[in-house]
């Protein structure tokens, strides 16, 4: 018998719970509408992936990696591709809402399922908050282009205004001019000085961020049909704009800008990992819509893989065009697509791109605001969260309470907080989910009696010799890094950033041994190792913040979820019936 913390749900029981809703009136079998097809799922995947990443963070990645950032897009796509195949196999066998949380419940057990569920809540919430703030910035810039000005205290968060005021005051005291200050500091200063107040409290808030979250939440609350229509329209518009950028930009490419291709070497290219991976986040979110698919076992795998392929092709083309139009040294800007066209004098195209960025970021917010309530719903069904989170609206057939809470959970922080320092938590949280999904495929139980054969299965390739050889080659390739791990004379500030890589080496060695002994399937193993490696590139600080979040989650589990777990209650009922 497994330890109670690692008790698993059988796949047949997961499917039965989703079908019957555990005979609970709050989430009856008639609950969610099955209306999504493969084209809708592909569109949702593109909607979630093509957003703030391609419209903003690609600039910073190109600045560090040069034209070679296109290689990083390929490497990241391969890592995501391994994970997508693992998600696809899970989705084919367990076509229910809950995504990686539900998959972990079937493969690892309850504690790991809770950890990944808690991790996904962080990933989706912080990602949505960051996207809402990003949308607000694009929207305000768009209005400025139309000569419509909103007061700074209504478009700036409180922390940015406070910090901007302090920094600007110090610079002005030293003889600086307000016009010469960086725009973010100047805007913060103007917001703070012009804001109304109640006593000593300044009334400063990012109102556009609040508005877009409320609108998207309302749309998601109204139903999956409305969400589907809005998503398809926004995705069509985004793809047209990106194809136009590529087509027009090709005429202004100067091949000389592609030399040197890797100006800062492999290490410089890898500095863009967080930004590039952030551009890929989202294709996994469509797995949360499994119960609203007409044929989830067939269409979910196709939707994830199709969306990933389409986005990868677009990203590589965009990266090559951007770095070909201007020098990579000029691309450390917040709006690189608009910037390059301004740089060559095509201001009207720059304005259209800014408008498309507003649409793109709204579509990302739409998909993630749809995904998070469904994860909460799944956790509630299992008793790990209160029953209210699994309540289905009688008219709109959506998880009503969870959707409203999600809206508040995102809107309120987006109104007041500056979360630029923690956006990498979205990347590390997603990578952690990918690691567990890839590992979970290796632990999936054999097909149970009465379970229908899966419509998608990862092709088995024996990793017995391949993975150990790759491990040895990796040690040789990263020899300097490997030796540096054991240099304990270094100061803590230098050594701490090597700790994640140290964990990667230990994990890789364990995987190599397990592959040799147990002849594991190659694709999940490569997905697990590659995603964990990308985690090591995110730095010690992000690891520390991520671990703090997980500790908070463990406290919630042991104080509430463990005792309310349906598996735990069923076990107690069986024990009591024996006496």
């Amino acid at each position: 018998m497994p330890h109670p913390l690692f008790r698993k749900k059988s796949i047949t029981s997961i499917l039965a719970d989703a079908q019957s809703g555990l005979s609970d009136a709050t989430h009856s079998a008639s609950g969610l509408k099955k209306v999504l097809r493969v084209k809708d799922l592909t569109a949702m995947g593109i909607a979630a992936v093509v957003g703030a990443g391609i419209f903003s963070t690609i600039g910073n990645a190109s600045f560090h990696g040069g034209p070679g950032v296109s290689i990083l897009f390929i490497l990241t796509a391969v890592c995501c591709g391994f994970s997508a195949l693992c998600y696809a196999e899970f989705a084919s066998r367990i076509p229910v809402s809950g995504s990686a949380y539900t998959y972990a419940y079937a493969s690892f057990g309850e504690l790991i399922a809770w950890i990944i569920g808690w991790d996904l809540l962080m990933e989706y919430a912080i990602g949505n908050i960051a996207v809402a703030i990003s949308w607000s910035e694009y929207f305000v810039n768009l209005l400025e282009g139309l000569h419509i000005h909103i007061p700074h205290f209504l478009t700036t968060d409180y922390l940015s205004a406070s910090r901007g005021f302090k920094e600007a005051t110090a610079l002005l005291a030293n003889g600086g001019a307000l016009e010469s200050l960086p725009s973010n500091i100047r805007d913060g200063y103007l917001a703070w000085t012009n804001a109304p107040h109640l006593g000593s409290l300044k009334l400063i808030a990012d109102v556009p961020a609040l508005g877009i979250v409320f609108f998207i939440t309302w749309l998601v609350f109204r139903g999956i049909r409305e969400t589907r229509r809005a998503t398809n329209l926004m995705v069509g518009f985004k793809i047209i704009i990106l194809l136009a950028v590529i087509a027009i930009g090709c005429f202004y490419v100067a091949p000389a800008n592609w030399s040197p291709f890797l100006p800062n070497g492999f290490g410089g290219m890898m500095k863009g990992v967080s930004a590039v991976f952030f551009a890929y986040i989202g294709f996994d979110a469509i797995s949360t819509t499994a119960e609203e698919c007409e044929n989830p076992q067939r269409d979910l795998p196709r939707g994830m893989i199709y969306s990933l392929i389409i986005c990868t092709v677009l990203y590589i083309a965009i990266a090559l065009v951007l770095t070909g139009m201007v020098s990579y040294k000029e691309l450390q800007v917040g709006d690189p697509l608009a910037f390059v066209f301004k740089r060559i004098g095509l201001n009207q195209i720059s304005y259209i791109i800014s408008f498309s960025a507003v649409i793109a970021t709204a579509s990302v917010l739409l998909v993630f605001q749809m995904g998070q309530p469904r994860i909460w719903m799944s956790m509630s069904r299992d008793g790990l969260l209160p029953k209210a989170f699994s309540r289905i609206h009688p008219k709109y057939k959506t998880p009503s309470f969870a959707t409203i809470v999600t809206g508040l959970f995102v809107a309120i922080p987006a109104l007041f907080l500056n979360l630029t320092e923690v956006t990498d938590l979205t990347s590390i949280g997603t990578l952690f989910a990918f690691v567990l999904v890839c590992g979970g495929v290796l632990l999936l139980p054999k097909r149970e009696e009465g379970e229908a054969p899966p419509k998608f299965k990862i092709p088995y390739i024996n990793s017995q010799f391949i993975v150990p050889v790759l491990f040895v080659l990796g040690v040789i390739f990263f020899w300097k890094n490997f030796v540096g791990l054991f240099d304990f004379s270094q100061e803590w500030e230098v050594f701490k950033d090597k700790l994640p890589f140290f964990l990667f080496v230990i994990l890789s060695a364990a995987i190599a041994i397990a592959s040799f002994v147990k002849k594991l399937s190659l694709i999940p193993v490569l997905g697990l190792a590659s995603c964990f490696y990308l985690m090591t590139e995110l730095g010690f600080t992000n690891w520390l913040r991520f671990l703090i979040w997980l500790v908070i989650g463990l406290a919630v589990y042991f104080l509430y979820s463990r005792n309310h777990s349906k598996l735990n209650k069923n076990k107690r009922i069986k024990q009591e019936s024996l006496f």
Side-chain angles (χ1 to χ4, degrees):
M1 290 292 292
H3 190 280
L5 293 178
F6 298 100
R7 53 196 167 221
K8 300 178 182 179
K9 290 188 71 175
S10 68
I11 292 177
T12 52
S13 68
I14 292 174
L15 296 176
D17 288 350
Q19 181 64 28
S20 66
L22 299 178
S23 301
D24 191 326
T26 60
H27 43 269
S28 63
S30 61
L32 304 176
K33 293 180 180 178
K34 293 182 176 294
V35 299
L36 300 177
R37 299 178 179 178
V38 65
K39 63 180 179 64
D40 304 311
L41 295 168
T42 303
M44 285 184 177
I46 297 171
V49 173
V50 179
I54 195 64
F55 282 94
S56 60
T57 59
I58 188 177
N60 192 54
S62 299
F63 174 78
H64 290 294
V69 75
S70 56
I71 298 176
L72 185 56
F73 273 111
I74 296 173
L75 294 176
T76 307
V78 170
C79 297
C80 291
F82 292 143
S83 302
L85 291 173
C86 294
Y87 267 97
E89 179 163 335
F90 266 121
S92 182
R93 285 197 66 183
I94 314 176
V96 301
S97 298
S99 187
Y101 158 76
T102 302
Y103 306 156
Y105 221 142
S107 53
F108 289 105
E110 184 171 285
L111 179 61
I112 303 301
W114 167 263
I115 289 174
I116 195 62
W118 186 255
D119 164 67
L120 289 173
L121 297 185
M122 176 200 70
E123 171 201 337
Y124 281 34
I126 291 181
N128 281 354
I129 293 166
V131 170
I133 294 172
S134 177
W135 183 91
S136 175
E137 293 175 355
Y138 283 125
F139 181 70
V140 171
N141 290 337
L142 186 64
L143 292 181
E144 291 289 344
L146 296 172
H147 307 292
I148 300 173
H149 177 71
I150 301 177
H152 289 94
F153 61 84
L154 294 178
T155 63
T156 306
D157 63 90
Y158 193 91
L159 291 178
S160 292
S162 176
R163 292 171 183 170
F165 177 77
K166 291 178 182 178
E167 293 181 32
T169 301
L171 293 172
L172 293 173
N174 291 325
L178 184 63
E179 293 75 15
S180 64
L181 299 180
S183 59
N184 60 326
I185 296 177
R186 183 175 65 252
D187 291 347
Y189 175 82
L190 293 173
W192 189 268
T193 53
N194 295 325
H197 55 87
L198 289 175
S200 59
L201 177 65
K202 295 281 186 175
L203 301 180
I204 300 173
D206 192 345
V207 175
L210 175 75
I212 189 60
V213 173
F214 277 173
F215 173 73
I216 294 296
T217 301
W218 171 81
L219 189 62
V220 172
F221 184 88
R222 286 294 303 268
I224 192 67
R225 292 183 189 275
E226 290 76 10
T227 303
R228 179 186 64 177
R229 294 190 192 104
T231 300
N232 290 343
L233 285 172
M234 287 190 281
V235 166
F237 179 78
K238 282 196 295 188
I239 290 181
I240 290 172
I241 293 299
L242 290 178
L243 290 176
V245 167
I246 295 168
I248 297 171
C250 284
F251 291 100
Y252 295 90
V253 166
N257 288 327
W258 288 335
S259 180
F261 198 70
L262 285 173
N264 299 314
F266 182 81
M269 181 186 75
M270 293 305 292
K271 285 184 179 180
V273 162
S274 178
V276 169
F277 185 78
F278 187 77
Y280 276 105
I281 288 174
F283 72 87
D284 58 308
I286 64 177
S287 63
T288 64
T289 65
E291 293 176 42
E292 290 146 296
C293 299
E294 290 185 357
N295 192 343
Q297 292 169 308
R298 182 196 67 188
D299 293 345
L300 274 173
R302 292 182 181 182
M304 282 186 274
I305 294 169
Y306 291 168
S307 61
L308 188 60
I309 292 173
I310 292 170
C311 292
T312 299
V313 173
L314 287 174
Y315 282 179
I316 294 171
I318 288 288
L320 290 173
V321 167
L322 284 183
T323 54
M325 291 177 69
V326 302
S327 170
Y328 70 93
K329 298 177 183 178
E330 300 182 48
L331 288 174
Q332 196 175 27
V333 294
D335 53 348
L337 270 67
F339 168 79
V340 294
F341 284 98
K342 282 183 181 177
R343 179 74 170 70
I344 61 176
L346 299 179
N347 293 326
Q348 290 183 336
I349 294 178
S350 173
Y351 175 76
I352 294 172
I353 291 172
S354 296
F355 177 72
S356 66
V358 171
I359 301 297
T361 48
S363 71
V364 174
L365 192 62
L366 177 64
V367 175
F368 278 93
Q369 284 296 95
M370 179 183 63
Q372 185 169 348
R374 284 150 180 81
I375 294 175
W376 282 4
M377 179 184 70
S378 295
M379 296 174 75
S380 174
R381 284 176 174 173
D382 295 325
L384 304 186
L385 288 176
K387 285 184 177 181
F389 284 94
S390 55
R391 186 182 302 145
I392 302 297
H393 194 280
K395 178 180 179 182
Y396 300 125
K397 305 299 182 184
T398 55
S400 52
F401 179 78
T403 300
I404 293 172
V405 172
T406 297
L408 295 174
F409 201 65
V410 173
I412 294 174
L415 189 66
F416 298 109
L417 299 181
N418 181 339
L419 295 177
T420 55
E421 296 178 359
V422 296
T423 51
D424 281 353
L425 277 173
T426 305
S427 294
I428 198 169
T430 304
L431 283 167
F432 182 67
F434 286 3
V435 166
L436 287 185
V437 168
C438 292
V441 166
L442 298 172
L443 299 177
L444 259 178
K446 294 182 179 180
R447 189 155 58 94
E448 301 167 9
E449 185 178 349
E451 181 188 346
K455 296 184 179 180
F456 178 85
K457 186 172 177 60
I458 296 173
Y460 174 77
I461 302 173
N462 190 346
S463 66
Q464 184 176 27
F465 299 108
I466 298 175
V467 171
V469 169
L470 289 176
F471 175 74
V472 173
L473 293 176
V475 170
I476 295 172
F477 186 78
F478 293 104
W479 180 250
K480 290 184 179 179
N481 291 356
F482 185 77
V483 173
L485 293 175
F486 302 97
D487 182 5
F488 300 107
S489 63
Q490 303 170 88
E491 294 182 0
W492 170 248
E493 290 300 318
V494 176
F495 184 74
K496 69 178 183 180
D497 287 324
K498 296 181 178 181
L499 288 177
F501 187 76
F502 185 75
L503 293 176
F504 170 72
V505 171
I506 295 173
L507 177 69
S508 299
I511 291 173
I513 295 171
S515 297
F516 183 79
V517 174
K518 297 189 175 182
K519 301 179 182 180
L520 300 176
S521 179
L522 180 63
I523 291 176
V525 167
L526 292 179
L528 192 160
S530 59
C531 289
F532 198 87
Y533 173 72
L534 292 181
M535 287 180 70
T536 68
E537 293 289 335
L538 295 178
F540 177 81
T541 301
N542 288 306
W543 276 73
L544 183 61
R545 291 169 177 165
F546 176 63
L547 291 175
I548 291 172
W549 175 255
L550 292 186
V551 169
I552 296 172
L554 288 174
V556 174
Y557 175 77
F558 285 106
L559 291 175
Y560 176 86
S561 304
R562 183 186 181 190
N563 295 326
H564 291 80
S565 163
K566 282 190 167 64
L567 284 186
N568 189 36
K569 289 182 178 180
N570 292 340
K571 181 182 177 182
R572 287 202 302 264
I573 292 172
K574 288 180 180 179
Q575 289 175 341
E576 291 171 359
S577 66
L578 296 176
F579 296 97

